Amino acid sequence: MGRASGDGWAPGEGAPSGAGGGSRFGDGRGDNVAGAPRERSGGGARPVWSRDFALFFVARGVARLGDTMLPVALAAGLLQHGYGAGAVGLAMAATAAAFAGLVVFGGVIADRFSTRKLMIGADLVRLGTQSFAAVLFLMDHVVLWEICAIGVVNGVAGAVFQPGVAGMVPRLASDLQGANGAIRIAESAAQLAGPAVAGLLVGFASPGGVFAAHAATYAVSALCLLLLRLPPLPQGSRSPGRGASAFKADLVEGWREFRSRTWLWGVIAVWCVYMIAVHGPTVPLVATEVVQEHGPRAYGLVNSALGAGTVVGGLLALRLRPRRMLRAGAIALVGFAGFPATVGLGLDVPAMAAGAAVAGAGMSFWGVMWATSVQTQVQPDVLNRIHAYDVAGSLAMMPVGQALAGPAAAALGADHVLLVSGAMSFVVVIALLSVPAIRGLVRVDPPTARSGRRGIRGEVCAEKG
């Protein structure tokens, strides 16, 4: 029932992606996102921090805080009203299924309309649905199908919202890597605080109070997006055609652009294996093993260590500027092996927490490298659609890995499955580095990207908003 905006595990999810540099883009109606990097003038390019970037930074941090609060509220609320774990999973799956099934179409929509208006509209829809859910829980009138229906609506809204995130960061700051790192830190800090805040609200108020707080995060996000100062669209920008045939053409063009970049689809293909063999089994089996062997407090400590690691990874991404970003990010992914391996080996809680922290740092660093690569390598007029394919492909295999975790643990033992997942982390890294287009991709900084795209696109951008 949340934003379905990613949790940092997908290559492009969790760290907002966006288009590369270029001139300022708008929609001809005074409602586009803030512009791409300005020309250098004396003091150099515009720094990361500005009023508009600060608004977007707050929006993403608050969004992540709400998303990490929601699972606690949903589980506590449904269990309190007599439903079981299956009902909780069904309610969460309703959002995930709607999001995954429609996000590709959301990418086309985002390239045809004002993405800022679409994002604000999606936030307002979810403000209404989560407020309604809060009322249902506060009035003790909780029916599973109603909660699932709310989840479906939220998933549809998330599918419209998420592709628009792709076009925001490069129009708000010229230092894309620094901006992505800062946002990653904000989201990681929110991930640390969200479950604790939700637990307090459940204890002192009720699950309905958490839903009300979650609804408020959508209001904050919408307000921040509304307050962005946005210049008009320059003359000559491409206007997408109208009608079903034009919509289909845009969808096909997005797929063609996605398929034409070996480094892009190569990462997504490897990520499908990663989701099935590494991340999918790790999350449920680590939770089960740690809780059973050491109790829920230990699991909370391990999760907190994971979140702290992602903060460290974001800080490292602010400092390190590798020339071949995907190669550096792939090497950092080696650290994730410590998360499932320490649990599979039956080590003590401090060792598991250390493994989780290293895993979080590696994953966070990879996320920034990936997001920045997409933002600087992909033309703005197809970025939203490519980001949508990225999100859909990245998340497609996650439920498969999670579904296979139980049968695999029953057949081999949870500890052995976790050790295999740790070993597969190395296989994934080797696979990424074995593709020349991935390991050899050279970073493109915004000023270079601007001049390069001018000759190709004539500084024309179809990204609306």
Side-chain angles (χ1 to χ4, degrees):
M1 297 172 65
R3 287 173 176 78
S5 59
D7 56 5
W9 301 109
E13 279 290 272
S17 300
S23 61
R24 286 183 176 269
F25 307 111
D27 64 3
R29 301 181 295 276
D31 185 30
N32 65 305
V33 272
R38 296 172 178 164
E39 296 279 5
R40 294 180 181 273
S41 58
R46 186 166 42 136
V48 169
W49 289 102
S50 65
R51 171 190 175 275
D52 290 333
F53 179 76
L55 286 169
F56 186 69
F57 177 87
V58 171
R60 299 310 300 159
V62 172
R64 187 60 183 154
L65 180 69
D67 288 343
T68 56
M69 291 168 59
L70 182 62
V72 177
L74 199 58
L78 289 176
L79 292 173
Q80 188 179 88
H81 286 82
Y83 292 100
V88 176
L90 183 62
M92 293 182 177
T95 300
F99 175 80
L102 297 174
V103 68
V104 170
F105 300 99
V108 178
I109 294 171
D111 273 335
R112 297 169 66 82
F113 300 98
S114 164
T115 53
R116 190 184 71 143
K117 288 181 178 178
L118 290 172
M119 294 167 75
I120 293 172
D123 274 339
L124 293 178
V125 167
R126 291 175 292 183
L127 168 62
T129 56
Q130 294 305 87
S131 297
F132 180 58
V135 171
L136 293 179
F137 278 94
L138 290 171
M139 295 180 62
D140 292 327
H141 179 74
V142 179
V143 180
L144 183 59
W145 75 264
E146 293 178 340
I147 302 302
C148 290
I150 291 173
V152 169
V153 174
N154 287 339
V156 173
V160 173
F161 180 97
Q162 183 61 35
V165 176
M168 297 294 277
V169 175
R171 296 169 176 83
L172 297 173
S174 58
D175 181 2
L176 303 187
Q177 185 177 333
N180 284 320
I183 291 172
R184 173 69 61 157
I185 292 169
E187 292 179 336
S188 300
Q191 185 172 349
L192 280 171
V197 172
L200 289 174
L201 287 175
V202 169
F204 288 100
S206 69
V210 185
F211 278 96
H214 187 218
T217 67
Y218 289 118
V220 173
S221 176
L223 180 62
C224 289
L225 294 173
L226 184 64
L227 292 176
L228 290 174
R229 285 200 288 256
L230 309 170
L233 180 71
Q235 294 295 323
S237 294
R238 166 186 172 269
S239 295
R242 298 181 180 276
S245 60
F247 187 93
K248 181 180 178 181
D250 284 346
L251 192 65
V252 171
E253 182 188 12
W255 172 251
R256 186 185 305 116
E257 293 283 349
F258 176 83
R259 190 180 58 183
S260 69
R261 294 166 172 82
T262 302
W263 62 270
L264 186 62
W265 65 257
V267 168
I268 300 304
V270 173
W271 214 254
C272 288
V273 177
Y274 180 86
M275 284 294 180
I276 294 174
V278 182
H279 178 252
T282 293
V283 174
L285 294 183
V286 163
T288 302
E289 290 294 290
V290 175
V291 170
Q292 287 180 346
E293 296 294 328
H294 303 280
R297 289 186 179 181
Y299 180 61
L301 176 63
V302 171
N303 259 349
S304 295
L306 182 68
T310 62
V311 174
V312 173
L315 290 171
L316 288 174
L318 286 173
R319 304 283 300 177
L320 303 179
R321 305 279 170 155
R323 185 166 181 263
R324 289 179 170 81
M325 303 179 73
L326 293 185
R327 182 170 67 181
I331 293 172
L333 275 177
V334 170
F336 189 81
F339 190 32
T342 53
V343 179
L345 290 170
L347 302 183
D348 57 16
V349 174
M352 290 188 292
V358 173
M363 181 61 69
S364 181
F365 187 81
W366 159 262
V368 175
M369 296 299 105
W370 170 256
T372 306
S373 295
V374 174
Q375 290 164 357
T376 54
Q377 299 283 345
V378 175
Q379 295 93 333
D381 55 334
V382 294
L383 196 283
N384 289 331
R385 280 168 281 171
I386 282 184
H387 179 61
Y389 279 112
D390 166 17
V391 173
S394 300
L395 299 180
M397 294 296 107
M398 182 171 64
V400 176
Q402 291 173 333
L404 293 176
L412 304 175
D415 54 343
H416 289 95
V417 176
L418 288 170
L419 291 175
V420 170
S421 294
M424 285 299 297
S425 296
F426 291 94
V427 174
V428 164
V429 171
I430 293 171
L432 289 171
L433 296 177
S434 68
V435 180
I438 296 175
R439 71 170 183 269
L441 189 71
V442 178
R443 71 178 295 133
V444 176
D445 291 314
T448 303
R450 176 188 174 95
S451 60
R453 290 194 190 99
R454 181 176 297 180
I456 297 173
R457 296 281 177 175
E459 290 193 6
V460 172
C461 174
E463 206 284 301
K464 299 288 188 180

